[in-house]
Amino acid sequence: MTDGLKSAVPPTSEPAFDASRSDAPTSRWLWWGGSIVALALLVWWILTQMTGTAFLAQALNGLSFGAVLFFLASGFTLIFGLMRITNLAHGGFYLVGGYIGISVVRATGNFFFAMLVSAVSIMLLGLVTERVLLRPIRGLEKPEVLLTIGLTFVLGDLSLAIWGGDPTPIPKPDFLNGALNIGGFIYPRYRLFVIACAVVVGAILFWVEKKTRWGAMVRAGVDDRETVAALGINIKAVFTGAFMFGAFLAGFAGVIGGAFLTLLPGQDFEVLLFALAVVIIGGLGSLKGAALGVVIVGLIDSFGKALIPELSFFTLFAPMAIILVLRPRGLLGRK
Amino acid sequence: MLRSLSLTARVKLGLAAAGIGLGVAAPYIFDRFVIGLISLALIAGLFAQSIDLLGGYAGLITLGHAGVSGTAAYGVGYMASKAGAGFTAQIAVGFLAGMTAALIFGVMAMRSDGVYFIMVTLAQGMIVWGLSIRLFRITGAENGLTGIPRPPAVELYWQYYYLTLVVVVLCWALLGIVVNSPFGTSLKGLRESETRMRMLGYNTTGQKLYVFLIAGFFATVSGILLVYLNGFISPSTVILAASAIGVLEAILGGIGTLVGPMIGAFIIVFVQNVVSIYVSRWPTLMGTLFIVVVLFARRGLVGAISDGWNKWLHRNDAPVSQEPVLTSSNRTAGP
């Protein structure tokens, strides 16, 4: 029983004994070429099923849902990449964040203030979770996961007790209500706002990761925690900071998503499923993977719902299954 | 013959005989309500044992096992209430459905390990739940399928109890054979270090698929027993909480043993059904229990008892080393 950081030494990466996977240039070209052809065929088939305008609307629906998922998945993937913690409570954070947002909007009438309050509250919840609950079992991967799933049940049930079980949308600010008319194409303003937010936040995240000292510490921590700690960086503080930041994004996602997805009990697990699909498809531990994953998952979900509504959940299943069999670490995941 | 056994083996044998004796005598002692709960606990115990075969022995913790048992139950339910088929056909379709789900899920999950395995299985279970809600024509959506009568020979509650007892004890014996076979030993190797097993020439991917199928078989049996016990099936049988409770039962009782999950199941079933008479916040209690068990009692009751027993047995010797199960930190390789 070697608990603690001693056992948290990352194993040297698995020996590349897998003869079935070759990364020779030709096979990579085949891979990309095949994917593009398949994608083109898929788009062509979808376009035979619906009009161009409907196609655009569905695509934007998918992207706006993907945008909400991006806030969740980027935090999830950051926490995993750095600490190897699979925080299944991320869905619970989202739900509680959304509910806090409702209460604040009702009390103050200010949507953006509610966003801030929620995000900060969930950040504090993340701090408590990391310090009190996860610190004692630091490095024990599976217990960590199981603890966060237990936490999700508690959070979901307490939200039900406090905010009730009726589906509740968060009131949007006035200037984001209604639809925007771009040359005859009418689309809800709010969803465009959500996509824009995700693009801005995504750009900031990429910039922070590549260009700042913080980003450098996080990248170094992902690669080799021991060395980072040896260089005099307080890796525990970096961990806590990353966990809090991930929780902050989840709380933010709760408000921004709650305004058009409506909040209801059980949604914590539903958004968690989508976030998991994103990281399984995109690849865990990489911001690029999360960005690619949310686009894929958002679009699949939206077009799946439009074309085969009965199987709306199931449409996620097929691509996930294929990717898991062919690339168990996801499209952009590192081996 | 009894003389040649060790003291521990004799105690175990005595406890097993007492347990079976109590099981046979139960309908003469307890009333209908308690016998119903015992039947439920036996079925839940079998389900938890099959989770433990994956989680405790092979180190592959699943959070989607109710997806397998639930698919089997839905197969039975569909044939009984929608197709109006006979009992043989109901049970055959139930088996077919459960084993097909186990095969598909197993192929999806066989190349992942550690937390990836948890995430993949969680997503699988969620998708079964999503389908159970949306495929109205097959599953009856939120209302589920009702009117699933038991076969005439086991129609009465005590008759069905005895059937359950016999089936569960048989399955327990089969599981005992599996875990004590060379294959079972190789599963423990898989748990301790997959890389090492691969180096030794084991086909670990195949091993994972086989164990998933075997566990799927026992989950299927438990699903079929459950649907006839209740006479109905609804999405609440396949929600994530159902899978998570199975994991909780296994850990609470003692993961990596066969008796542990059964004890855990009895505790949880009785606590859930007695406590929910007085308190309405069962999920909060369950989640809290999850957190407490993961933080403080990862070796479970059986682990604690066997530690105490060994200490007493070897009270004059040097301290014994314990077998690490959930405490071992075999991390997934990768970034």
Side-chain angles (χ1 to χ4, degrees):
Chain A
M1 288 222 268
T2 47
D3 278 64
L5 255 175
K6 193 101 181 76
S7 63
V9 181
T12 45
S13 61
E14 284 198 17
F17 250 34
D18 214 341
S20 63
R21 293 242 329 244
S22 77
D23 284 333
T26 35
S27 81
R28 205 179 300 163
W29 280 112
L30 272 177
W31 174 260
W32 279 106
S35 316
I36 290 168
V37 171
L39 197 66
L41 281 173
L42 191 67
V43 170
W44 174 77
W45 178 74
I46 294 171
L47 276 172
T48 60
Q49 302 290 312
M50 52 172 67
T51 62
T53 330
F55 180 83
L56 191 58
Q58 286 303 336
L60 285 172
N61 282 348
L63 289 178
S64 55
F65 180 50
V68 174
L69 291 180
F70 180 72
F71 301 121
L72 274 172
S74 54
F76 186 89
T77 224
L78 171 72
I79 292 172
F80 181 84
L82 203 55
M83 315 166 74
R84 294 291 181 287
I85 290 179
T86 313
N87 180 27
L88 297 183
H90 232 66
F93 287 176
Y94 168 93
L95 191 68
V96 175
Y99 277 128
I100 293 176
I102 286 191
S103 295
V104 176
V105 171
R106 280 187 190 150
T108 64
N110 190 331
F111 183 76
F112 294 98
F113 181 64
M115 233 177 219
L116 187 70
V117 172
S118 287
V120 171
S121 320
I122 300 302
M123 187 173 84
L124 295 176
L125 180 62
L127 173 69
V128 174
T129 309
E130 204 271 331
R131 278 288 159 97
V132 180
L133 297 177
L134 289 170
R135 190 57 67 84
I137 50 171
R138 192 66 206 97
L140 304 173
E141 215 166 49
K142 289 164 196 165
E144 280 166 352
V145 184
L146 296 172
L147 189 139
T148 58
I149 197 96
L151 181 62
T152 314
F153 287 121
V154 175
L155 291 177
D157 195 47
L158 291 181
S159 314
L160 181 65
I162 298 171
W163 286 283
D166 297 328
T168 348
I170 300 178
K172 286 170 264 201
D174 285 337
F175 75 98
L176 290 174
N177 266 322
L180 202 63
N181 190 336
I182 317 164
F185 177 71
I186 297 164
Y187 198 76
R189 278 165 204 233
Y190 186 76
R191 280 177 178 262
L192 294 173
F193 164 75
V194 173
I195 297 175
C197 273
V199 171
V200 170
V201 170
I204 293 174
L205 286 179
F206 274 109
W207 178 76
V208 168
E209 196 194 22
K210 294 285 173 222
K211 300 282 178 194
T212 64
R213 191 181 145 73
W214 269 95
M217 281 201 279
V218 168
R219 275 182 291 141
V222 168
D223 283 337
D224 190 341
R225 275 162 287 178
E226 301 294 292
T227 310
V228 172
L231 286 172
I233 290 167
N234 186 351
I235 192 76
K236 282 190 178 176
V238 177
F239 283 168
T240 310
F243 200 92
M244 285 168 71
F245 185 66
F248 179 90
L249 284 177
F252 180 77
V255 181
I256 207 166
F260 76 104
L261 300 170
T262 65
L263 296 163
L264 69 163
Q267 221 193 9
D268 39 358
F269 288 119
E270 232 168 290
V271 294
L272 176 68
L273 169 69
F274 282 104
L276 286 180
V278 167
V279 294
I280 288 172
I281 290 175
L284 250 179
S286 107
L287 195 55
K288 262 190 229 161
L292 178 67
V294 295
V295 173
I296 296 177
V297 169
L299 291 178
I300 289 176
D301 180 63
S302 153
F303 282 105
K305 269 181 189 150
L307 296 170
I308 20 178
E310 260 204 333
L311 293 178
S312 60
F313 248 46
F314 203 65
T315 45
L316 270 181
F317 191 79
M320 236 166 66
I322 295 169
I323 283 170
L324 277 170
V325 173
L326 296 178
R327 288 188 70 103
R329 290 281 186 261
L331 287 176
L332 297 180
R334 288 191 284 171
K335 200 168 153 50
Chain B
M1 186 197 123
L2 213 58
R3 287 260 149 195
S4 65
L5 292 169
S6 70
L7 180 61
T8 313
R10 269 180 281 167
V11 169
K12 278 183 185 169
L13 211 61
L15 285 175
I20 291 177
L22 195 64
V24 172
Y28 298 97
I29 308 170
F30 301 113
D31 63 1
R32 190 185 175 136
F33 174 71
V34 177
I35 291 300
L37 283 187
I38 296 178
S39 309
L40 192 62
L42 284 169
I43 296 169
L46 177 60
F47 180 67
Q49 282 174 333
S50 105
I51 286 180
D52 192 37
L53 177 65
L54 279 169
Y57 287 91
L60 300 165
I61 291 182
T62 161
L63 278 174
H65 220 47
V68 177
S69 66
T71 307
Y74 267 111
V76 171
Y78 177 79
M79 291 308 276
S81 74
K82 299 254 168 170
F87 291 107
T88 325
Q90 289 172 19
I91 293 170
V93 168
F95 261 103
L96 200 66
M99 291 313 289
T100 311
L103 180 66
I104 297 173
F105 291 176
V107 169
M108 273 178 81
M110 67 185 178
R111 286 192 63 183
S112 44
D113 52 14
V115 286
Y116 284 85
F117 192 88
I118 301 182
M119 280 186 262
V120 172
T121 49
L122 193 152
Q124 293 166 342
M126 288 291 294
I127 282 161
V128 171
W129 170 78
L131 285 178
S132 77
I133 283 187
R134 287 177 178 86
L135 281 180
F136 177 76
R137 272 171 296 169
I138 298 174
T139 63
E142 302 277 3
N143 297 328
L145 300 169
T146 49
I148 305 165
R150 288 176 203 150
V154 287
E155 212 174 353
L156 298 172
Y157 78 94
W158 59 269
Q159 292 170 329
Y160 196 70
Y161 164 76
Y162 278 123
L163 175 76
T164 306
L165 184 68
V166 169
V167 173
V168 169
V169 169
L170 269 180
C171 285
W172 193 336
L174 283 176
L175 275 164
I177 294 173
V178 170
V179 300
N180 289 312
S181 68
F183 177 69
T185 313
S186 77
L187 290 182
K188 287 177 204 161
L190 191 64
R191 177 185 77 203
E192 296 309 323
S193 170
E194 188 179 341
T195 317
R196 221 170 294 168
M197 289 302 278
R198 209 161 21 193
M199 293 295 195
L200 289 170
Y202 282 90
N203 173 6
T204 53
T205 309
Q207 256 183 318
K208 284 193 252 180
L209 181 61
Y210 295 145
V211 70
F212 205 98
L213 285 174
I214 297 172
F217 170 80
F218 292 106
T220 297
V221 173
S222 78
I224 294 175
L225 283 174
L226 184 68
V227 71
Y228 283 121
L229 177 72
N230 290 334
F232 72 90
I233 170 120
S234 69
S236 67
T237 325
V238 292
I239 55 174
L240 176 57
S243 304
I245 285 178
V247 177
L248 174 61
E249 287 164 351
I251 302 174
L252 177 67
I255 199 160
T257 65
L258 285 180
V259 67
M262 188 60 79
I263 295 174
F266 269 84
I267 296 173
I268 295 288
V269 165
F270 276 84
V271 166
Q272 180 176 8
N273 285 281
V274 174
V275 167
S276 42
I277 298 173
Y278 305 102
V279 212
S280 58
R281 300 253 77 90
W282 162 244
T284 302
L285 183 70
M286 195 257 292
T288 313
L289 196 60
F290 226 114
I291 294 172
V292 169
V293 166
V294 167
L295 278 179
F296 303 112
R298 284 190 295 280
R299 280 173 52 79
L301 279 174
V302 172
I305 291 170
S306 86
D307 284 356
W309 173 254
N310 279 329
K311 210 176 264 176
W312 181 80
L313 213 58
H314 300 272
R315 56 198 177 281
N316 300 323
D317 306 356
V320 284
S321 69
Q322 298 160 346
E323 191 184 1
V325 179
L326 254 183
T327 43
S328 73
S329 62
N330 45 346
R331 316 194 127 261
T332 42

